[in-house]
Amino acid sequence: MSKLPEIHLCIQQPVGYVHSLGLLDPARYFRYQAQRLGANVSLAKNRLRHDALNFVFGAHLGFDASQRERHACVFVNLEQLGEGGAKVSADYLKLLASSAVVDYDADNRAAYATCLDDVPVVPLLHAPYLTPTEALPLEERPIDLLFIGSMNERRRAWLDRVEATGLSVAMFDSAIYGPERDQFILQAKAVVNAHFYESSRFEQARVAHCLSLGTPVISERTAQTLPHPAFEDSVFWLEGEQLEQFFTQDFGTPEFYAVAREALQRFEQADPIEAYADLLAFGAAFTVAHHERRPTQAWRPQRINLGSGKDYQSGWLNLDVLARTLPDLLLDLSAPLALPYQAQAANTGPVRLEEGSIDVINANNVLEHVSDLPALMGNCLRLLTTDGEFHIEVPYEHAPTAWQDPTHVRAMNENSWIYYTEWFWYLGWFEHRFQVERSSYLDLQLKECAREGAAFMRLVLRKVETTLAERTVARTLQAELRLPIDAVEPRHLYRPQPAAAVGSVAGVAGVAGVASVASGPRSVVASFAAAVATSIAA
């Protein structure tokens, strides 16, 4: 294997979308296998690394494809694709068809790849790091059967058949993932698994995770279910009418627990390290080729997001003043900013900000925290192109949301924008100002509402050129005169002529004792001034 690149695992998560946490399990598994092979691995939500090979999880939830130009990306497909599978967007299939992809199931590849052999396949099998240090014996666990996953009519019908045998299936009443969910898996005698789609592709990631935690899995099986060989004798498979017989006669018996323990032990022997070694060899070659052809000049972003953390925007330049929010750049736009500004960032590589280069700036619940808001507004005005937009959302002054955060330094209302739109000259602005393009009130659910029910304000400010009349007002009221520099061209510079060769200059009439001069206008003026001074002194 060639020298391994730095590995970065990126989980795509739309703002507030809790179900992206379901990608934590496969991402952890990829991290573990890469570390076994000697790679350095980092993991983050939505953030790519310029210096690494990025494995992207959850791109079906949205991904800015232009990021592939500057970042080496391999997309991890975990969706069931093809006839009877998940209904993903055409954009996602187009992304897979034009990118480097790794899949967990070979049968998915036909939905997007023209050459199936170009797509590596790696299974999700036993995860030794999940083995509990202490685990309740299966017989003593308080939950008989546990179901994990999204619900639809197909699954509901299968689970109804289970409960019709007299058993109860425990389910979560809210979304829960990661180690918090694992606490329940460790208390279950078994997890039941039913297929979501008619394609009946096996839910490999979920089942492998449960087995790795030491909890048996009882799964539906149809003629279309084609599991990895490691699951064949590690899962209790139920086809057709076997369900009723199993849950009325077999489940919970001493024989069930004995078979379950043997199945769990067999699953521990499943090791896909060779598949992951091949994947990293593929990734290393891909990274070298990508980094050789990607742009070498600094990135000049056209969109800036003020804030990071949960509000991070993929494909934008994300700025923040707090390192813990993991922004692309730590940069305070309320401080003096010399443009052009150039920096090096782990996420973006070299980046350059220039005056008049940004199309959109977004500030979602940021402005109420800024200590020097006029300075920030001025820097944003400088960065935006003419007609560029500043998208703003702030708590409304009279709403409970206005002062609930102890870091708020101001409340905002309809008059908060006058200085940036009408009285711009107070701020020292001259050639450009903002104008309110549109505004609205939002309730606590961020839906538009009347002013009386407002919790937030949302508005768009557009950068516009000031009119001639507005500039006249500004010139009148500002301390600076703002006159252009009237440079004198070299051809207009005065150059004295050489002294006359003959004759003398007559004395100045009315002034006694003026000497004759023949040395040009400068000498005449000097002599005249001296004579006047003598006359005054006398």
Side-chain angles (χ1 to χ4, degrees):
M1 184 186 298
S2 58
K3 184 178 183 298
L4 289 177
E6 294 286 309
I7 303 296
H8 181 66
L9 310 179
C10 172
I11 294 176
Q12 291 299 109
Q13 182 185 47
V15 176
Y17 187 68
V18 65
H19 299 297
S20 286
L21 297 181
L23 299 167
L24 291 175
D25 301 332
R28 286 179 69 187
Y29 195 74
F30 268 62
R31 181 176 65 178
Y32 176 77
Q33 299 297 347
Q35 288 174 334
R36 289 179 68 193
L37 293 162
N40 296 319
V41 188
S42 57
L43 173 65
K45 291 190 293 187
N46 296 321
R47 294 151 178 83
L48 299 174
R49 275 180 54 186
H50 186 262
D51 63 341
L53 169 60
N54 297 273
F55 285 99
V56 182
F57 295 76
H60 64 287
L61 300 172
F63 184 85
D64 183 350
S66 66
Q67 295 183 95
R68 295 176 300 174
E69 183 181 12
R70 304 185 68 87
H71 298 85
C73 295
V74 175
F75 296 91
V76 182
N77 176 60
L78 297 169
E79 294 298 295
Q80 296 186 31
L81 302 179
E83 185 177 355
K87 297 186 183 303
V88 298
S89 69
D91 286 342
Y92 179 59
L93 293 176
K94 182 179 178 181
L95 178 73
L96 297 184
S98 58
S99 304
V101 182
V102 56
D103 214 306
Y104 80 102
D105 193 308
D107 290 341
N108 288 323
R109 298 177 297 177
Y112 57 83
T114 54
C115 183
L116 303 187
D117 291 338
D118 289 343
V119 180
V121 177
V122 294
L124 303 164
L125 302 179
H126 178 61
Y129 53 87
L130 292 176
T131 303
T133 54
E134 293 183 9
L136 281 174
L138 297 178
E139 296 89 341
E140 298 177 17
R141 297 187 181 185
I143 301 173
D144 286 334
L145 296 171
L146 176 66
F147 172 78
I148 300 169
S150 302
M151 187 61 66
N152 65 356
E153 290 184 5
R154 191 183 186 288
R155 279 181 168 166
R156 181 70 266 179
W158 197 85
L159 295 175
D160 284 345
R161 288 176 59 195
V162 175
E163 293 192 318
T165 66
L167 294 170
S168 177
V169 180
M171 303 179 209
F172 297 116
D173 54 9
S174 62
I176 183 170
Y177 295 97
E180 293 75 27
R181 174 214 52 209
D182 292 351
Q183 295 304 309
F184 291 92
I185 297 174
L186 290 168
Q187 297 180 63
K189 294 180 175 69
V191 168
V192 289
N193 180 67
H195 303 312
F196 190 90
Y197 299 106
E198 290 300 327
S199 59
S200 299
R201 204 153 294 151
F202 182 54
E203 290 78 3
Q204 185 180 128
R206 180 182 301 119
V207 174
H209 194 84
C210 294
L211 294 176
S212 297
L213 285 166
T215 298
V217 175
I218 304 164
S219 180
E220 173 193 15
R221 184 165 191 166
T222 73
Q224 290 78 38
T225 306
L226 301 173
H228 184 278
F231 296 95
E232 285 289 356
D233 58 358
S234 301
V235 172
F236 290 92
W237 298 104
L238 302 181
E239 298 184 50
E241 301 304 318
Q242 292 177 344
L243 182 150
E244 284 75 14
Q245 181 271 328
F246 178 84
F247 284 110
T248 56
Q249 300 180 29
D250 299 330
F251 177 73
T253 64
E255 291 76 11
F256 166 79
Y257 294 121
V259 172
R261 290 188 182 94
E262 293 174 359
L264 292 170
Q265 290 173 358
R266 284 192 294 270
F267 188 69
E268 291 179 2
Q269 308 309 311
D271 189 352
I273 191 62
E274 291 186 4
Y276 282 87
D278 290 343
L279 173 62
L280 290 197
F282 164 81
F286 171 77
T287 303
V288 170
H290 181 276
H291 286 184
E292 286 177 349
R293 67 175 186 270
R294 70 179 173 184
T296 56
Q297 68 273 23
W299 178 43
R300 291 172 169 80
Q302 295 178 303
R303 300 175 296 177
I304 289 178
N305 181 51
L306 301 184
S308 189
K310 69 178 181 61
D311 296 314
Y312 188 93
Q313 300 283 337
S314 297
W316 297 50
L317 178 65
N318 294 265
L319 307 179
D320 210 309
V321 297
L322 299 175
R324 61 179 170 80
T325 64
L326 303 180
D328 298 323
L329 282 180
L330 274 172
L331 182 62
D332 185 359
L333 287 188
S334 68
L337 178 66
L339 294 176
Y341 175 88
Q342 189 149 329
Q344 181 80 22
N347 294 352
T348 66
V351 59
R352 181 180 175 90
L353 296 177
E354 298 177 343
E355 192 162 338
S357 64
I358 305 299
D359 293 331
V360 180
I361 298 176
N362 184 64
N364 186 352
N365 288 278
V366 170
L367 303 189
E368 64 271 22
H369 302 273
V370 177
S371 57
D372 190 347
L373 185 56
L376 181 140
M377 297 296 289
N379 283 331
C380 289
L381 189 74
R382 293 167 60 208
L383 286 167
L384 283 168
T385 61
T386 301
D387 290 328
E389 293 185 345
F390 194 177
H391 295 193
I392 296 169
E393 186 176 304
V394 290
Y396 185 53
E397 180 181 43
H398 302 298
T401 52
W403 296 106
Q404 65 184 6
D405 188 330
T407 63
H408 286 186
V409 297
R410 67 178 55 78
M412 316 292 281
N413 60 29
E414 297 82 359
N415 296 322
S416 298
W417 321 107
I418 291 178
Y419 272 76
Y420 313 114
T421 57
E422 299 177 26
W423 298 346
F424 62 93
W425 46 268
Y426 267 121
L427 305 173
W429 301 354
F430 188 75
E431 295 180 343
H432 295 91
R433 64 176 177 85
F434 284 117
Q435 75 175 23
V436 177
E437 192 70 12
R438 54 188 180 272
S439 64
S440 59
Y441 300 103
L442 307 175
D443 61 19
L444 287 171
Q445 285 71 46
L446 301 182
K447 295 180 180 179
E448 291 193 10
C449 65
R451 176 180 177 181
E452 293 74 21
F456 300 93
M457 294 178 64
R458 178 182 290 165
L459 71 155
V460 174
L461 301 180
R462 184 181 297 277
K463 176 180 176 178
V464 297
E465 292 184 349
T466 52
T467 65
L468 298 181
E470 289 170 338
R471 294 183 188 185
T472 299
V473 171
R475 201 185 303 277
T476 302
L477 297 174
Q478 289 179 348
E480 297 179 72
L481 291 173
R482 294 187 179 275
L483 291 175
I485 297 174
D486 301 321
V488 178
E489 297 181 15
R491 63 190 179 92
H492 289 157
L493 289 171
Y494 173 74
R495 292 181 176 83
Q497 299 299 316
V502 295
S504 62
V505 178
V508 178
V511 179
V514 176
S516 297
V517 292
S519 56
R522 291 181 185 269
S523 297
V524 170
V525 172
S527 299
F528 176 75
V532 171
T534 301
S535 176
I536 293 174

